């Protein structure tokens, strides 16, 4: 029986909280659906280096790699050799053994390369010798992937010029969960209600600018309300001045997730991604973007390139500058096309951007469309 291999050089999160932990779980589910659709076996190799060795030895023993159509892998924000506990690998050779064997048997390998924050001094917190050593290891990882990988998948096309991996590059942004989008036909509430979900301890995320925008919007009378969903510990750590700015009648703070967050999504009209414009943010595609759209919410977002392209592809919302005044203009301009945005989300978002579709796109890139033109089970 033909198979596909999912190779994760880390332990898969049982209850993913962050976008970086969620993606591998959702892609695995999507590939499970892909394998079922095409009558393939799916082989998952994950865990620490010793666990991966045990799983790989079984594949070698049974020579299953001779029947592998492709391998999909992901890295983390730390080099693949350092993902064991304490960042000390117990088996240095396992990743090379897997990739070298697969390439020898002409199995195309695709790797989702998550981040390049280590290339930006203002983002990378390490200093001195530690920084030099870690950046050297990251560069070795790029060389490793250049040697073995067929396709490098990236969060966006814009990130490609910062990735020094000599392989085909392809954008594979986050996807939406394949579900029925509960988009209602209600008009904007009066006052309208927006939602921001995410970090509140980093000005780069744009929440201070959004709060200032609401202050300007509501200066004379309340035209809009805002729900902020954040982690409770982040709110606790805010200084008194920042807490005071959030203490407004038109702002609610909630610390919810899962089903409770889904209930909150049903209360609001639209969502915000007010990130500050920067070289780094230009190629980032936040997981929250697709979660908002999966919830059927139009988005007001700043003009960071990758998220702008994604939203304009619908279009699924309004693009603004990263100033308070521009965000106010965005809120004031959403009403005429509000229902059109919701209709676009309903009709095209999941068809083009579900996790299931991401797995199809990755498989197509690695196999050159063979699953469309022939019976892959007899390849």
């Amino acid at each position: 029986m033909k198979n596909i291999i999912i190779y994760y050089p880390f332990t898969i999160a049982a209850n993913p909280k962050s976008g970086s932990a969620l993606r591998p779980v959702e892609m695995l589910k999507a590939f499970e659906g892909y394998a079922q659709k095409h009558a393939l076996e799916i082989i998952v190799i994950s865990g620490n280096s010793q666990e991966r060795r045990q799983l790989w030895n079984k594949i070698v023993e049974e020579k299953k790699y001779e029947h592998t159509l492709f391998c999909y892998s992901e890295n983390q924000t730390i080099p693949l050799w350092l993902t064991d506990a304490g960042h000390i690998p117990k088996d240095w050779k396992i990743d090379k053994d897997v990739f070298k064997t697969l390439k020898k048997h002409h199995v195309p390998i695709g790797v989702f390369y998550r981040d390049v924050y280590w290339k930006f001094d203002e983002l990378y917190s390490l200093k001195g010798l530690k920084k030099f050593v870690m950046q050297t290891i990251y560069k070795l990882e790029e060389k490793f992937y250049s040697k073995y990988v067929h396709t490098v998948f990236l969060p966006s096309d814009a990130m490609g010029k910062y990735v020094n991996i000599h392989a085909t590059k392809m954008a594979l942004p986050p996807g939406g969960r394949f579900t029925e989008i509960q988009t209602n036909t209600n008009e904007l509430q009066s006052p309208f209600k927006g939602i921001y979900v995410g970090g509140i301890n980093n000005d780069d995320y744009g929440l201070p600018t959004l709060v200032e925008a609401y202050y300007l919007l509501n200066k004379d009378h309340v035209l809009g309300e805002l729900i902020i969903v954040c982690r409770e510990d982040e709110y606790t750590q805010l200084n008194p001045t920042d807490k005071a700015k959030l203490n407004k009648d038109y702002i609610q703070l909630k610390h919810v997730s899962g089903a409770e967050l889904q209930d909150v999504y049903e209360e609001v009209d639209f969502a915000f991604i007010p990130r500050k414009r920067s070289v780094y943010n230009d190629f980032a595609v936040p997981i929250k973007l697709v979660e908002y759209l999966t919830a059927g919410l139009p988005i007001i977002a700043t003009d960071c390139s990758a998220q702008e392209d994604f939203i304009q592809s619908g279009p699924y919302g309004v693009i603004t500058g990263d100033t308070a005044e521009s965000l106010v203009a965005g809120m004031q301009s959403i009403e005429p096309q509000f229902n059109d945005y919701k209709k676009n989300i309903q009709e095209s978002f999941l068809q083009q951007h579900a996790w299931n579709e991401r797995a199809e796109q990755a498989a197509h890139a690695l196999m050159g469309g063979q699953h469309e033109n022939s019976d892959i089970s007899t390849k």
Side-chain angles (χ1 to χ4, degrees):
M1 185 179 190
K2 299 295 181 182
N3 66 71
I4 58 176
I5 292 176
I6 308 299
Y7 187 78
Y8 289 162
F10 49 83
T11 300
I12 302 171
N15 186 23
K17 299 289 186 183
S18 65
S20 58
L22 177 67
R23 183 186 181 103
V25 174
E26 293 296 338
M27 283 301 289
L28 177 55
K29 290 179 186 174
F31 276 116
E32 286 171 346
Y34 177 90
Q36 185 175 12
K37 175 181 175 182
H38 295 289
L40 301 170
E41 179 185 7
I42 186 166
I43 299 171
V44 181
I45 304 174
S46 66
N48 64 40
S49 58
Q50 289 182 324
E51 291 168 336
R52 300 199 302 276
R53 173 65 70 183
Q54 290 177 349
L55 292 165
W56 177 244
N57 284 347
K58 185 177 179 184
I59 290 171
V60 171
E61 182 182 334
E62 298 175 0
K63 294 187 177 181
K64 289 210 167 184
Y65 51 75
E66 294 181 353
H67 307 286
T68 301
L69 294 176
F70 64 85
C71 171
Y72 174 83
S73 182
E74 296 203 4
N75 79 340
Q76 292 195 312
T77 53
I78 190 167
L80 78 165
W81 306 293
L82 305 182
T83 56
D84 280 5
H87 306 313
I88 300 173
K90 295 180 179 179
D91 188 332
W92 279 97
K93 292 183 62 183
I94 178 58
D95 306 301
K96 181 178 180 180
D97 287 350
V98 171
F99 280 52
K100 184 177 181 180
T101 302
L102 292 177
K103 184 170 183 181
K104 180 181 177 181
H105 288 83
H106 308 291
V107 175
I109 301 168
V111 172
F112 178 76
Y113 195 73
R114 188 173 308 280
D115 214 333
V116 288
Y117 73 103
W118 58 274
K119 296 191 177 188
F120 295 84
D121 289 338
E122 67 273 22
L123 299 174
Y124 198 38
S125 59
L126 292 184
K127 305 294 181 186
L129 182 61
K130 283 186 177 179
K131 178 178 179 180
F132 174 77
V133 170
M134 282 302 299
Q135 287 184 327
T136 300
I137 297 173
Y138 278 117
K139 290 174 184 176
L140 289 172
E141 184 184 43
E142 287 185 315
K143 288 183 178 179
F144 176 83
Y145 286 142
S146 292
K147 187 172 183 179
Y148 296 110
V149 167
H150 175 284
T151 303
V152 178
F153 300 112
L154 304 170
S156 67
D157 286 326
M159 181 173 152
K161 64 181 178 180
Y162 300 98
V163 177
N164 190 26
I165 298 173
H166 303 297
T168 300
K169 296 184 178 75
M170 172 180 159
L172 200 71
R177 292 173 186 156
F178 202 78
T179 181
E180 185 176 346
I181 295 178
Q182 302 295 327
T183 301
N184 58 51
T185 56
N186 297 342
E187 301 296 325
L188 272 176
Q189 301 174 70
S190 182
F192 57 70
K193 190 175 288 187
I195 188 170
Y196 169 90
V197 181
I200 62 172
N201 60 355
N202 186 335
D203 289 357
D204 200 46
Y205 297 147
L207 181 61
T209 309
L210 180 60
V211 171
E212 182 186 351
Y214 264 87
Y215 174 77
L216 295 175
L217 176 77
N218 295 328
K219 212 166 187 179
D220 297 323
H221 57 277
V222 175
L223 298 174
E225 298 176 354
L226 175 64
I227 295 178
I228 298 171
V229 179
C230 64
R231 292 175 178 161
E232 190 168 6
D233 60 336
E234 285 193 12
Y235 176 71
T236 303
Q237 293 165 16
L238 279 184
N239 62 55
T241 302
D242 289 336
K243 283 184 179 177
K245 291 178 181 178
L246 302 181
N247 187 20
K248 305 291 183 185
D249 291 341
Y250 51 81
I251 295 179
Q252 294 181 62
L253 264 83
K254 294 179 182 285
H255 311 296
V256 296
S257 60
E260 290 179 295
L261 177 55
Q262 297 303 314
D263 290 340
V264 178
Y265 283 150
E266 294 180 11
E267 298 177 26
V268 302
D269 297 302
F270 49 78
F272 290 99
I273 305 178
R275 291 185 168 203
K276 286 293 184 182
R277 185 88 192 266
S278 69
V279 172
Y280 182 82
N281 282 344
D282 264 348
F283 59 71
V285 181
I287 286 277
K288 277 290 170 279
L289 189 156
V290 293
E291 291 199 354
Y292 290 153
L293 294 175
T294 302
L297 295 176
I299 296 173
I300 297 177
T302 49
D303 55 352
C304 301
S305 298
Q307 69 183 26
E308 178 179 6
D309 290 346
F310 198 121
I311 292 167
Q312 295 284 46
S313 72
Y316 303 127
V318 174
I319 300 299
T320 77
D322 63 359
T323 65
E325 292 79 7
S326 188
L327 284 166
V328 170
M331 287 185 265
Q332 293 172 332
S333 69
I334 196 171
E335 184 169 13
Q337 292 181 278
F338 180 66
N339 284 323
D340 290 336
Y341 295 142
K342 291 202 292 185
K343 182 180 178 184
N344 292 343
I345 294 168
Q346 179 80 50
E347 293 181 351
S348 72
F349 166 61
L350 284 180
Q351 287 78 0
Q352 297 174 15
H353 300 291
W355 287 113
N356 305 50
E357 184 61 23
R358 296 292 182 250
E360 293 278 354
Q361 291 163 357
H364 183 274
L366 293 170
M367 295 198 303
Q370 292 180 52
H371 67 291
E372 295 178 351
N373 301 320
S374 64
D375 181 0
I376 60 174
S377 64
T378 61
K379 173 177 176 282

